[in-house]
Amino acid sequence: MNKCQKKQAALARRHRRVRGKISGTAVRPRMCVTRSNSNLYVQFVDDVAGKTLYGVSTLGPDFKETGKSGATVEGAAALGAIAGAKALEAGMTEVVFDRGGNLYHGRIKALADAAREAGLVF
């Protein structure tokens, strides 16, 4: 097993551990964050019904208007503000935060803080 495979396996273990403790409902959906080297993706998921209620990413048109990069903390904060605003428009006020096995640091933390400032409760 090379270094890259070890990192992926560790991420998968952390994600399984996080997902074992949290679950989303229609009233309080799970805000799932996926991070790659260059982009961020946020989905609001109802695990009971097995449906994705809403999704936004750094590749979407709303984010492109900001002119920021998804690979930076500033870009993550902009995406968090967009995700929070869109969730409030869709009627979601409370969510369960799923960091996806990533450490709560850097881009993940900036995204969460911006979503809280936009009005989401978690």
Side-chain angles (χ1 to χ4, degrees):
M1 187 181 280
N2 64 23
K3 187 176 180 180
C4 183
Q5 290 170 331
K6 287 181 183 178
K7 287 179 81 169
Q8 288 175 342
L11 178 70
R13 275 194 310 274
R14 287 192 305 268
H15 195 190
R16 278 195 308 270
R17 189 167 53 237
V18 169
R19 284 287 292 119
K21 298 174 185 176
I22 63 173
S23 180
T25 63
V27 177
R28 192 169 182 198
R30 178 170 53 97
M31 181 180 173
C32 180
V33 178
T34 305
R35 179 183 67 97
S36 71
N37 285 339
S38 56
N39 292 299
L40 284 168
Y41 308 88
V42 178
Q43 290 182 323
F44 296 93
V45 180
D46 177 4
D47 290 316
V48 175
K51 290 188 175 184
T52 299
L53 304 174
Y54 190 77
V56 65
S57 76
T58 54
L59 299 173
D62 295 335
F63 182 79
K64 295 284 185 187
E65 293 172 359
T66 65
K68 298 183 192 259
S69 169
T72 63
V73 173
E74 293 82 19
L79 182 67
I82 292 169
K86 294 289 185 177
L88 290 175
E89 285 177 17
M92 299 175 236
T93 56
E94 290 189 15
V95 296
V96 178
F97 188 68
D98 178 7
R99 58 188 171 87
N102 298 299
L103 299 178
Y104 189 78
H105 177 71
R107 289 191 285 162
I108 303 297
K109 185 176 187 301
L111 186 139
D113 290 342
R116 279 190 189 104
E117 288 175 13
L120 283 180
V121 177
F122 56 92

